[in-house]
Amino acid sequence: MRIAFIVFFIIVSLLALLLPFTTEFERPEAGQIRVEGLPPVPKLGVYDELPDFSQYTDVQQKKSEFFGYLLPLIEAENLRILHMRAKLFEIEENYKANMISDADRAQLAQMVGYYEVDPSLPAEEQFALLKRRVDIVPEMMVLVQAANESAWGTSRFAQQGLNLFGQWCYREGCGIIPAQRPEDQIYEVAKFDSVNQSVRSYMRNINTHPPYADLRLLRERKRLRDQELRAIELVEGLGSYSERGDEYIDELQAMIRVNRPIVNAVKQSQEQTAN
């Protein structure tokens, strides 16, 4: 039973790893994990074009438009992750009670592959790693990184590749070649089919890549203490995101402090419009 369980994980995970870096955007309603007790993930449609944020001469208005454009995408992706996280805890309880179903195994294997967990690990270790990785990224952290990395949505990579986070890829033709890339390097700045895909890829990057393990550990400790996941604290784990290291972290924290009132105003406006 245990051997068959592991073999099943290995097969599904290998198939996941063979997928290309950029694929057609997975719409929320397609294969969506849903859990009772959580709001449904909104069906936003595909954001396949960035507005021209350079048209705004008023800084406050430019920031409001940028944040207003991205917030629904970030909120929807975080809600999708929360559904998956709740399902993960549900599957773990079924596993402990020896009541795990074939559907549970399939969904667990999907998570193991997507979040790059070693399928040969004992099930208990897989659950522990997944609980550390299947979790939200605070919206303020996503917003200020997007603003910082994309020059408020005006950079070449944002406009041409819908890449708001400076993410790289390593397959020829997968993105845009930077003008000043060293001759001995092969990376490209990833090109996405939609901004939705860019946001999802960024969150997966934060939740899986080894350089951000400290961020995930900090987030997990806060979860265990039932503390709020605050962006200004979690960005401490982003030292490897930029060559500037601590300077980059300080800059993000300053951006969070300055822009939080603007984001709160945008959120309030969107909530009033929705009601």
Side-chain angles (χ1 to χ4, degrees):
M1 178 76 174
R2 185 183 182 86
I3 295 176
F5 191 65
I6 293 174
V7 169
F8 182 80
F9 275 167
I10 292 173
I11 292 173
V12 175
S13 300
L14 286 175
L15 288 173
L17 291 173
L18 289 174
L19 292 174
F21 180 88
T22 54
T23 59
E24 183 181 357
F25 172 63
E26 176 191 354
R27 290 171 174 79
E29 63 270 21
Q32 175 68 51
I33 292 176
R34 291 186 175 89
V35 175
E36 294 296 326
L38 287 173
V41 178
K43 300 176 181 179
L44 297 177
V46 179
Y47 287 37
D48 56 5
E49 186 177 4
L50 273 179
D52 179 14
F53 294 110
S54 64
Q55 67 180 295
Y56 301 106
T57 56
D58 181 84
V59 174
Q60 182 91 1
Q61 184 183 9
K62 181 178 183 177
K63 289 182 174 183
S64 295
E65 294 293 335
F66 182 81
F67 292 144
Y69 176 83
L70 276 184
L71 263 172
L73 290 170
I74 298 167
E75 291 170 344
E77 185 62 17
N78 270 332
L79 187 53
R80 186 185 76 90
I81 291 172
L82 283 178
H83 276 271
M84 190 178 298
R85 180 175 174 83
K87 175 59 69 173
L88 172 63
F89 278 84
E90 181 182 307
I91 294 172
E92 183 183 32
E93 288 303 311
N94 291 343
Y95 173 79
K96 290 178 178 177
N98 199 27
M99 296 173 57
I100 191 166
S101 66
D102 288 342
D104 287 339
R105 291 191 180 94
Q107 289 180 328
L108 184 58
Q110 177 188 0
M111 295 183 206
V112 165
Y114 186 80
Y115 284 95
E116 300 180 9
V117 171
D118 183 353
S120 68
L121 291 172
E124 293 78 6
E125 293 184 32
Q126 292 183 27
F127 281 118
L129 279 173
L130 282 170
K131 285 188 288 187
R132 190 176 299 155
R133 297 184 180 192
V134 186
D135 207 346
I136 65 169
V137 181
E139 59 191 27
M140 277 302 304
M141 176 174 147
V142 186
L143 288 170
V144 298
Q145 275 207 279
N148 188 289
E149 296 290 338
S150 72
W152 297 93
T154 64
S155 72
R156 171 193 170 206
F157 304 123
Q159 289 294 319
Q160 295 181 13
L162 302 180
N163 187 336
L164 297 177
F165 304 94
Q167 297 174 91
W168 291 0
C169 56
Y170 294 88
R171 190 182 70 245
E172 185 177 356
C174 64
I176 302 168
I177 299 175
Q180 298 182 3
R181 186 185 71 177
E183 292 185 3
D184 60 340
Q185 297 294 316
I186 63 170
Y187 70 86
E188 299 179 14
V189 178
K191 190 173 183 178
F192 295 99
D193 296 330
S194 67
V195 182
N196 317 55
Q197 189 185 55
S198 178
V199 170
R200 180 168 296 186
S201 177
Y202 159 83
M203 290 196 181
R204 185 189 185 202
N205 181 30
I206 295 297
N207 280 328
T208 59
H209 284 208
Y212 315 121
D214 288 344
L215 184 152
R216 296 192 292 271
L217 285 170
L218 176 59
R219 183 177 61 186
E220 182 180 47
R221 285 196 291 269
K222 288 188 172 296
R223 284 291 195 191
L224 293 173
R225 296 169 184 164
D226 199 25
Q227 296 176 339
E228 181 184 0
L229 302 181
R230 302 181 66 232
I232 202 162
E233 296 169 348
L234 290 189
V235 295
E236 294 281 354
L238 289 176
S240 298
Y241 204 97
S242 167
E243 294 178 351
R244 293 185 288 143
D246 290 343
E247 181 185 345
Y248 180 70
I249 293 173
D250 291 342
E251 184 173 333
L252 292 180
Q253 290 176 327
M255 290 180 70
I256 290 170
R257 295 187 187 98
V258 169
N259 292 290
R260 187 179 296 280
I262 302 175
V263 173
N264 289 340
V266 170
K267 285 172 66 70
Q268 185 177 14
S269 175
Q270 290 183 345
E271 288 169 2
Q272 289 173 348
T273 301
N275 294 331

